[in-house]
C-alpha cells in the first residue's frame, strides 16, 4: 500500500517536471531578446545554486566564498577561449574544452581549500571562506594580463566544430519561422548544462555519498562512529560544490559577454545563499526555483521601472529596481523562516501530501 501511495505521489511531480521541460524547450520561439537574456542569467545561476545547496543543504557546511569559485570559472573560461595576441592573454582553446576546464580549475581551487573546509564547520567555515572573496577581488584587479584589471575583458562566444552559438556559422538559422540568433542558440546550451547539473546532483543525493553527507550534516560524531571519514566527506563536497560554481561562472561569463571584478563580490555570495534558503536548503528543485527568482527579479524591475511609478532611475537617490529587489529578498527570507519552513520545496511537498492523502484514504477504504 505504501508503495502504491509513493507511486501516486510521484506521478504528478513527474508530469509537472515534463511540462516544465517542454515549456523551457518551446519558450525561445516566443520570447524577445530581453527575456532570452534574462533566461540565460537564470540558468547560469541555477548551476551555481545547485552546487551550493549540495554543500550547505545536503552536507550542512556554510560557505560565503561561492562568488570566488564562480569568478575562477568565469576567468578560466575567458582566458582559455580568448584570442591569442590581444592586450590580455588568450589561449584560443576550443570552447567546449574551456567549459570543462572552468569546472576543473574551480574544483582544484576548492580542493586546495578543502583541508580547511574539512576541519571547520558552521560560522567558522563561513568566515574562513569569506576571505576567499577578498582574495579573489585582489587577484581579479591586479592580474591584468589575465583578467583585464578593473575594467575586465570580453568573452568569446561558445562554438563547437561546424556550429556557433553566436550569429555566425550558420549566419541564418530559423525554427518554425523564428530566426534563431545567438541568444536563442545559447538558451539550449544553457538548458542542457543546467539539466545535466540537476541530474548529477539528484544522483549524488540518492547515492551512498549523499547519505554519508547527510549523516555528517546531522551529527559528525554519529557519522564517524559508523565508519564515515568526516574530514574526507566535507572536503569532497566542498570540491564538488566548487566544480558546480566554476561551470556556473563560465555560463555567467557567456551570458554577460564581458566580465569584471565587481561581478564576483560578497553580494554575489549572499545572493546565492538567498537562492537556496528561499527555494529550500538541500533541495535541487528548490535551489533552481530560488535561483530563477533571485536572478530574474532585479532585471525585470530594472527593465519595467519606467512603468512602475514608485521606482526611480539608478543613481537618482530614490528607490530603484535593484534596491527594491533586495528589500523583497529580505521580506521573503523572513516569511520563509516564519511561515514556510523548508522553503518553496518544503511548501510544495506539504501541498503534495495533502493532495495525495485523500486519494490514499480512498484506496485504503476500497
Amino acid at each position: 500500500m505504501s508503495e502504491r501511495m509513493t507511486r501516486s505521489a510521484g506521478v504528478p511531480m513527474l508530469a509537472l517536471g515534463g511540462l516544465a521541460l517542454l515549456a523551457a524547450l518551446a519558450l525561445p520561439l516566443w520570447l524577445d531578446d530581453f527575456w532570452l537574456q534574462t533566461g540565460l542569467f537564470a540558468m547560469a545561476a541555477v548551476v551555481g545554486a545547485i552546487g551550493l545547496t549540495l554543500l550547505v543543504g545536503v552536507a550542512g557546511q556554510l560557505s560565503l566564498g561561492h562568488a570566488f569559485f564562480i569568478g575562477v570559472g568565469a576567468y578560466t573560461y575567458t582566458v582559455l577561449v580568448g584570442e591569442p595576441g590581444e592586450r590580455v592573454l588568450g589561449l584560443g582553446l576550443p570552447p567546449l574544452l574551456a567549459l570543462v576546464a572552468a569546472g576543473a580549475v574551480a574544483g582544484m581551487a576548492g580542493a586546495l581549500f578543502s583541508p580547511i573546509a574539512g576541519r571547520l564547520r558552521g560560522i567558522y567555515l563561513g568566515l574562513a571562506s569569506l576571505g576567499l572573496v577578498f582574495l579573489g577581488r585582489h587577484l581579479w584587479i591586479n592580474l591584468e594580463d589575465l583578467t583585464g584589471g578593473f575594467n575586465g575583458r570580453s568573452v568569446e562566444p561558445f562554438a563547437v566544430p561546424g556550429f556557433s552559438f553566436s550569429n555566425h556559422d550558420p549566419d541564418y538559422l530559423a525554427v518554425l519561422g523564428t530566426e534563431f540568433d545567438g541568444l536563442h542558440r545559447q538558451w539550449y546550451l544553457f538548458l542542457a548544462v543546467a539539466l545535466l547539473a540537476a541530474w548529477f546532483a539528484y544522483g549524488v543525493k540518492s547515492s551512498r555519498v549523499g547519505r554519508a553527507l547527510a549523516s555528517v550534516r546531522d551529527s559528525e560524531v554519529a557519522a564517524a562512529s559508523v565508519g564515515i571519514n568526516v574530514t574526507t566527506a566535507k572536503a569532497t563536497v566542498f570540491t564538488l560544490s566548487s566544480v558546480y560554481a566554476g561551470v556556473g561562472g563560465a555560463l555567467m561569463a557567456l551570458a554577460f559577454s564581458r566580465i569584471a571584478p565587481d561581478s564576483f563580490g560578497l553580494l554575489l555570495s549572499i545572493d546565492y545563499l538567498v537562492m537556496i534558503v528561499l527555494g529550500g536548503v538541500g533541495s535541487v528543485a528548490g535551489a533552481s526555483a530560488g535561483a530563477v527568482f533571485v536572478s530574474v527579479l532585479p532585471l525585470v524591475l530594472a527593465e519595467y521601472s519606467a512603468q512602475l511609478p514608485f521606482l526611480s532611475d539608478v543613481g537618482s537617490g530614490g528607490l530603484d529596481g535593484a534596491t527594491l529587489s533586495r528589500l523583497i529578498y529580505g521580506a521573503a527570507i523572513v516569511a520563509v523562516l516564519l511561515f514556510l519552513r523548508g522553503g518553496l520545496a518544503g511548501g510544495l511537498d506539504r501541498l503534495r501530501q495533502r493532495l495525495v492523502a485523500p486519494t490514499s484514504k480512498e484506496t485504503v477504504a476500497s
Side-chain angles (χ1 to χ4, degrees):
M1 181 177 64
S2 60
E3 182 181 350
R4 187 184 306 171
M5 291 170 59
T6 303
R7 191 184 302 116
S8 64
V11 169
M13 297 305 294
L14 288 175
L16 184 61
L19 290 175
L21 177 59
L22 289 175
L25 291 172
L27 278 175
L29 297 173
W30 294 284
L31 295 180
D32 59 23
D33 286 353
F34 166 75
W35 286 104
L36 289 170
Q37 187 83 59
T38 301
L40 298 184
F41 293 140
M43 287 184 279
V46 164
V47 176
I50 291 174
L52 188 60
T53 206
L54 289 176
L55 177 65
V56 178
V58 177
Q61 306 302 304
L62 176 64
S63 173
L64 293 173
H66 212 56
F68 170 76
F69 299 105
I70 292 173
V72 170
Y75 279 110
T76 297
Y77 176 83
T78 304
V79 171
L80 293 180
V81 300
E83 291 295 331
E86 294 184 353
R87 181 180 61 87
V88 288
L89 178 65
L91 300 182
L93 297 181
L96 182 58
L97 177 61
L99 180 61
V100 175
V105 172
M108 287 189 288
L112 291 174
F113 188 77
S114 64
I116 298 175
R119 288 167 173 78
L120 298 176
R121 68 172 299 162
I123 189 64
Y124 302 105
L125 177 58
L127 291 175
S129 61
L130 177 61
L132 293 174
V133 177
F134 300 109
L135 172 64
R137 179 171 175 79
H138 176 77
L139 295 175
W140 313 146
I141 291 177
N142 291 282
L143 297 178
E144 295 186 6
D145 290 340
L146 293 176
T147 66
F150 186 81
N151 293 322
R153 60 181 294 175
S154 59
V155 182
E156 292 293 322
F158 195 87
V160 294
F163 186 83
S164 172
F165 288 82
S166 62
N167 293 334
H168 305 286
D169 197 17
D171 295 332
Y172 179 80
L173 177 66
V175 176
L176 298 179
T178 300
E179 182 179 355
F180 268 42
D181 58 16
L183 292 176
H184 292 84
R185 302 177 195 185
Q186 287 187 82
W187 177 283
Y188 293 104
L189 169 67
F190 281 47
L191 180 60
V193 175
L195 290 174
L196 181 61
W199 171 78
F200 187 80
Y202 276 117
V204 170
K205 284 189 62 178
S206 60
S207 68
R208 292 178 59 187
V209 173
R211 291 189 290 273
L213 294 175
S215 298
V216 171
R217 176 197 63 204
D218 296 336
S219 173
E220 293 186 9
V221 175
S225 68
V226 296
I228 297 173
N229 189 320
V230 174
T231 300
T232 300
K234 291 163 67 174
T236 299
V237 72
F238 198 92
T239 302
L240 178 60
S241 176
S242 302
V243 172
Y244 269 87
V247 175
L251 295 183
M252 180 178 172
L254 283 168
F256 274 106
S257 299
R258 187 174 186 85
I259 54 175
D262 285 345
S263 301
F264 310 105
L266 177 59
L267 285 179
L268 183 63
S269 287
I270 294 175
D271 281 346
Y272 273 91
L273 285 174
V274 172
M275 293 174 191
I276 64 172
V277 170
L278 291 182
V281 177
S283 168
V284 175
S288 302
V292 172
F293 175 75
V294 172
S295 58
V296 168
L297 180 62
L299 298 174
V300 171
L301 290 177
E303 177 70 12
Y304 296 102
S305 59
Q307 286 76 38
L308 300 174
F310 53 86
L311 288 182
S312 304
D313 294 332
V314 177
S316 64
L319 180 65
D320 56 45
T323 303
L324 178 60
S325 63
R326 298 198 179 277
L327 293 175
I328 294 175
Y329 299 161
I333 290 175
V334 172
V336 165
L337 294 178
L338 291 178
F339 308 111
L340 197 62
R341 294 295 178 89
L344 295 175
L348 287 175
D349 282 341
R350 288 190 289 273
L351 178 60
R352 183 184 62 183
Q353 291 171 4
R354 291 179 181 178
L355 293 176
V356 171
T359 304
S360 62
K361 290 180 180 179
E362 293 175 2
T363 303
V364 173
S366 62

